[in-house]
Amino acid sequence: MIWLPFISVIAIGQAEIIPPSFFIEKTDEQVAPNILSTPVDVDDVEVLVRRGAALVAPEVELEGAEIDALGAWDVGEVLTRLREMLGISDQLLVIINGKRVPNPEVFSGFPPDALVRAELLPSEGGALYGGLPGQRVVNLVLQQHFSSYDGRTAGSRPTQGGTTSLSGDLRRSGISGEKTYLLGGQASRETALRADERRREILHDGLEAGAVTIRPSGDAWAGNAMLTRPFGAWSSVFSLNGQVRRSRSVVRFDSDIFETNRRTESLSGSAGLSRFVAGWSLLASLNGQVSRSLEDGAVDTRNENQSISLNASASRSLVDLGAGPVVANLSANLMESRSMVDRAQSRMVTGFQSQEGRASFTIPLARAVGAPVVGWIGDIHATLGGGLRDSSGGGGEELNGALAWAPRKWLRLNGAWSTNSDSISDLQRFEPLYQGAPRVFFDFRAGKAVEIAPILGGNPALKAPRSERFSLNAAIGPFTEWGMAGNFGYQASEAMDGIGVLPDLTADVEAAFPERFERDANGRLISVDLRPLNLSSSLTEGLTSGFNFSLPRPQGVAANEATVARFSLNHSLQLRNLTTLLEGRPDLNRLKGDGGGVSRQSLRAMLDVKRGRWGLNASARWQDGYRTRRNGGRDDPSDLVLKPFTAVGLKLSFQMMSSSVRASTSSEEGGARRRSSGLQVNLEVENLFDARPEARLGDGSAAPGYGRDAQDPIGRVVRLSVQRRF
């Protein structure tokens, strides 16, 4: 699959290249947001500035119809679909209208048609906007004027029955230049799935299976509000979010059955300010959160948490080197939290504080445009950065660097390296212990499957992890009016004392962490501790590749009725995956099945199509099979061999047109209004072919715990939703 990025070159050749400009010239004044695409006359020369343009030209750009074809309910789903489409595993850095804003996540609740376009910037964009080297940046350009009332209700049920879920979502949103607001409310309810509603082949389900729940029942309510307003030269962002969740489960602990009720309440808020001062782009945000969790069951628990954080950043262009200005980004973060746990007549109060500072400098080394001496080399940008952390969970430091080179406008190369020692979050250390939902484990020692409610929560004994990462990536395209593009990457990562979870329950794992397992007098496994732990070391290497294209769209009136279609294909291949559980123990080759096997390769294909009132969104995910060895270093007849797995999802939508639809005037951005006030019906099927994880033992016999409903009791789910703009 590593040939995917180069299929365009072979099929078309360079003669058909229609590339975007790689780098957009920006003066200090142009770094500030351009609110309108207003012509400016300078000595009889008219210059048209594109509203919301980023510091660099986008690598991938989705306009209005392409955004709508994603079939998303809100901007948050647009970002998720974009990440999956382009095979991006790391967190995206989101900017709004070409500039950084405090707390950009508050814009994720807006309807997709509130966007004029969504742009994925090339790899050097992360450093230019204060992110990590190589971090991908998405520029969301909002409509100049927008207003909507939207509502959605959805119901889903597995085709096997046994549990149902219902949800409702209402929102009011508006945009008028820099003034925006959003009010929303959500509610959901899910019924329990009982053990007697599935054939799971778990021997101790017994007569009480009608009471034991595989999935708990629960309901949730949430409300959110956000507001942005200019205050003179300042821009402000305010948000408030509240949530209440309740759940009820009935689980088995050894021979006893307990009912557990949990209620969680949380409230979070943020306030942010930004402005340009003397060439500096300044941002600051204050964030606070309070939460309370009450649980009654086997052990009554009360947990309360409060946290507050202050984030600040500053960036500006420094000296001009001829190939462009050096861009400096500085940031700082202060955080303090307090946690109280009252459990089983014991009370524990903990506090956590952290301070962090980061700095990075992006240095242009060569430029293709306007540099006759070195212009033939192309665009080259280097980034150097670092950071310091100090916290009650330990200190840490970070060094990183990146080099981005565009020898041609259609070819972009990027390399990034980082090393850091990190602190440990309060949640990982001090989250209260609790029993998780029951899970089916394959016990290699006994050679059978057991169902256990694992121990979850924090681990105060965690040590600070250290890691080093290196990556090389190449992107080509887009080519022709089809926008054909590809990418290829190599990633390597090494971690020391990395924080993870317990691997599969092999003999090697149980020997390394015997305190994590509890067995009764007969040797039957009755408890597993899945709290986070430190692994001595791990090393991974892999290759990724991707290919995507979209149908060309006509211009003018015909564009509104034309078919919009985008296809993407992403492949990953692991070259090495080595883990050392404890110092002094041998390395475990997880690709061969030691210490819990992992799949060597995976593939994801996605298709988004929209024509008129109809929309289609499809995805397919394939994962290669793998082996988990009972004893490290050799295959055994009692090993667990998992088969390849494929899951397909499909969503079909139909928009019922309304007489209230109107064409926009020529002064409005985004073309004609992209959504009517009519009803839209969506039919979605998850796991279309009802695929379930399957496995055999090394001798070819059936593997206990891998019956049809054991590992995945839900299977295929059908979801029907209706939404409307009022």
Side-chain angles (χ1 to χ4, degrees):
M1 297 300 297
I2 61 176
W3 44 264
L4 285 175
F6 307 104
I7 190 172
S8 300
V9 176
I10 297 173
I12 302 167
Q14 299 182 15
E16 298 294 327
I17 296 170
I18 305 177
S21 172
F22 178 72
F23 190 85
I24 297 176
E25 295 189 43
K26 290 219 175 242
T27 65
D28 287 351
E29 289 78 13
Q30 287 174 313
V31 175
N34 296 292
I35 303 304
L36 295 173
S37 300
T38 304
V40 180
D41 292 322
V42 181
D43 296 331
D44 297 325
V45 176
E46 186 178 82
V47 179
L48 187 64
V49 179
R50 194 184 194 194
R51 191 177 70 88
L55 294 174
V56 289
E59 184 176 305
V60 176
E61 180 177 325
L62 301 184
E63 296 185 341
E66 295 170 309
I67 294 173
D68 297 339
L70 299 178
W73 163 251
D74 55 27
V75 171
E77 290 185 14
V78 170
L79 294 174
T80 299
R81 191 77 176 175
L82 188 62
R83 284 184 59 194
E84 294 174 345
M85 178 194 308
L86 300 174
I88 301 173
S89 57
D90 296 329
Q91 184 178 0
L92 293 170
L93 176 62
V94 178
I95 61 176
I96 306 296
N97 294 333
K99 64 176 183 176
R100 290 196 65 186
V101 298
N103 307 316
E105 61 275 4
V106 300
F107 292 89
S108 62
F110 276 93
D113 53 325
L115 298 177
V116 176
R117 63 186 188 273
E119 303 172 337
L120 179 73
L121 305 188
S123 298
E124 69 271 19
L128 289 172
Y129 282 100
L132 297 174
Q135 184 179 11
R136 305 311 299 268
V137 178
V138 171
N139 180 27
L140 301 178
V141 181
L142 302 177
Q143 300 277 7
Q144 184 70 14
H145 299 284
F146 181 85
S147 179
S148 73
Y149 293 89
D150 297 279
R152 177 179 67 167
T153 183
S156 65
R157 184 175 176 85
T159 53
Q160 277 187 273
T163 180
T164 59
S165 65
L166 296 172
S167 64
D169 198 333
L170 291 172
R171 68 182 171 209
R172 171 73 172 112
S173 55
I175 303 174
S176 180
E178 290 192 359
K179 297 179 180 180
T180 69
Y181 65 91
L182 175 68
L183 298 172
Q186 304 84 36
S188 64
R189 168 161 291 184
E190 185 172 5
T191 62
L193 178 63
R194 302 191 309 271
D196 65 346
E197 293 176 314
R198 293 292 187 267
R199 295 183 178 181
R200 302 183 305 138
E201 302 174 358
I202 304 299
L203 296 179
H204 62 268
D205 274 352
L207 298 177
E208 301 89 353
V212 174
T213 58
I214 306 174
R215 296 287 189 274
S217 62
D219 45 46
W221 304 271
N224 58 284
M226 67 84 64
L227 181 73
T228 68
R229 285 291 185 274
F231 290 105
W234 292 91
S235 296
S236 64
V237 178
F238 303 94
S239 69
L240 188 65
N241 299 274
Q243 188 177 82
V244 177
R245 289 182 175 272
R246 298 188 308 181
S247 66
R248 175 186 177 274
S249 61
V250 180
V251 298
R252 183 192 307 275
F253 297 138
D254 198 10
S255 59
D256 298 321
I257 294 178
F258 295 94
E259 177 181 328
T260 299
N261 293 280
R262 176 179 293 182
R263 179 184 176 93
T264 302
E265 303 167 347
S266 65
L267 180 66
S268 62
S270 66
L273 293 172
S274 62
R275 71 166 294 177
F276 286 82
V277 178
W280 285 93
S281 172
L282 306 178
L283 290 87
S285 65
L286 183 66
N287 309 282
Q289 181 178 24
V290 293
S291 64
R292 179 178 65 178
S293 177
L294 303 173
E295 180 178 318
D296 62 83
V299 178
D300 293 343
T301 303
R302 178 187 178 93
N303 180 27
E304 295 182 357
N305 293 278
Q306 303 91 36
S307 67
I308 188 170
S309 65
L310 176 64
N311 305 297
S313 67
S315 64
R316 70 160 296 163
S317 299
L318 302 178
V319 60
D320 194 323
L321 301 181
V326 176
V327 178
N329 284 281
L330 310 174
S331 64
N333 173 270
L334 303 175
M335 191 271 285
E336 183 170 355
S337 66
R338 179 181 179 274
S339 176
M340 185 278 293
V341 180
D342 194 344
R343 182 172 183 264
Q345 299 181 349
S346 65
R347 183 183 178 92
M348 179 176 66
V349 178
T350 59
F352 183 81
Q353 303 84 33
S354 70
Q355 305 86 38
E356 178 181 6
R358 294 181 62 243
S360 68
F361 299 88
T362 302
I363 308 167
L365 303 179
R367 190 169 184 182
V369 179
V373 178
V374 296
W376 60 272
I377 298 177
D379 291 311
I380 304 178
H381 295 81
T383 301
L384 298 174
L388 293 174
R389 305 179 188 89
D390 185 25
S391 72
S392 54
E397 60 276 337
E398 176 184 356
L399 289 175
N400 54 64
L403 186 66
W405 177 32
R408 295 293 183 270
K409 292 181 179 180
W410 49 269
L411 176 61
R412 298 166 298 280
L413 307 173
N414 179 268
W417 168 85
S418 66
T419 179
N420 70 80
S421 58
D422 209 348
S423 57
I424 307 169
S425 72
D426 192 26
L427 185 66
Q428 289 175 315
R429 296 175 65 201
F430 301 117
E431 184 183 14
L433 273 64
Y434 65 96
Q435 299 286 344
R439 286 180 46 186
V440 177
F441 296 90
F442 183 78
D443 182 4
F444 281 90
R445 179 170 162 182
K448 63 180 182 179
V450 294
E451 185 180 43
I452 296 173
I455 298 174
L456 302 175
N459 180 4
L462 288 175
K463 296 182 292 184
R466 294 167 291 135
S467 65
E468 184 173 356
R469 297 184 64 185
F470 175 74
S471 65
L472 286 173
N473 296 279
I476 61 173
F479 301 104
T480 79
E481 60 183 359
W482 288 66
M484 301 177 71
N487 61 78
F488 176 76
Y490 166 80
Q491 299 85 31
S493 176
E494 185 174 9
M496 287 68 70
D497 292 324
I499 297 176
V501 296
L502 201 68
D504 290 347
L505 313 187
T506 66
D508 294 316
V509 174
E510 187 168 0
F513 304 104
E515 72 280 1
R516 294 280 178 145
F517 303 85
E518 182 180 352
R519 296 181 180 272
D520 62 15
N522 298 320
R524 183 169 63 91
L525 188 65
I526 59 175
S527 178
V528 178
D529 186 347
L530 293 185
R531 291 179 299 158
L533 50 76
N534 290 108
L535 300 176
S536 179
S537 66
S538 63
L539 172 64
T540 61
E541 281 186 287
L543 299 175
T544 58
S545 58
F547 172 70
N548 64 84
F549 70 90
S550 58
L551 290 182
R553 300 183 63 230
Q555 301 297 317
V557 178
N560 295 327
E561 296 299 326
T563 299
V564 178
R566 178 175 289 272
F567 174 78
S568 66
L569 186 64
N570 294 283
H571 177 258
S572 66
L573 173 67
Q574 289 204 53
L575 302 177
R576 286 201 294 174
N577 191 319
L578 303 176
T579 297
T580 303
L581 299 178
L582 293 174
E583 187 175 356
R585 289 185 173 270
D587 291 341
L588 301 178
N589 188 338
R590 302 195 64 184
L591 292 178
K592 291 187 176 180
D594 299 340
V598 294
S599 179
R600 181 178 290 272
Q601 57 181 334
S602 62
L603 185 70
R604 179 186 288 271
M606 302 182 68
L607 176 66
D608 299 302
V609 181
K610 189 175 190 301
R611 181 178 177 85
R613 304 183 187 187
W614 293 93
L616 173 68
N617 305 100
S619 63
R621 176 177 56 88
W622 172 82
Q623 177 178 289
D624 198 7
Y626 60 92
R627 174 186 290 265
T628 294
R629 289 169 165 171
R630 176 176 179 174
N631 299 290
R634 61 183 176 87
D635 292 347
D636 190 276
S638 58
D639 290 348
L640 190 65
V641 182
L642 276 83
K643 296 182 179 181
F645 179 81
T646 302
V648 177
L650 188 67
K651 179 180 178 181
L652 185 66
S653 60
F654 178 73
Q655 176 74 54
M656 299 179 182
M657 304 301 286
S658 168
S659 59
S660 65
V661 177
R662 62 173 177 84
S664 63
T665 65
S666 59
S667 63
E668 292 176 313
E669 280 201 72
R673 176 174 287 189
R674 305 201 316 249
R675 184 174 172 186
S676 77
S677 60
L679 193 69
Q680 179 174 317
V681 181
N682 308 300
L683 177 62
E684 185 176 359
V685 183
E686 297 178 6
N687 197 356
L688 180 63
F689 301 109
D690 204 15
R692 311 294 179 93
E694 297 182 44
R696 311 289 290 182
L697 296 181
D699 59 7
S701 60
Y706 278 84
R708 178 166 178 78
D709 297 328
Q711 297 290 327
D712 179 9
I714 300 297
R716 179 171 52 222
V717 175
V718 177
R719 178 175 294 105
L720 179 66
S721 62
V722 292
Q723 59 192 68
R724 177 170 180 154
R725 176 156 295 165
F726 300 97

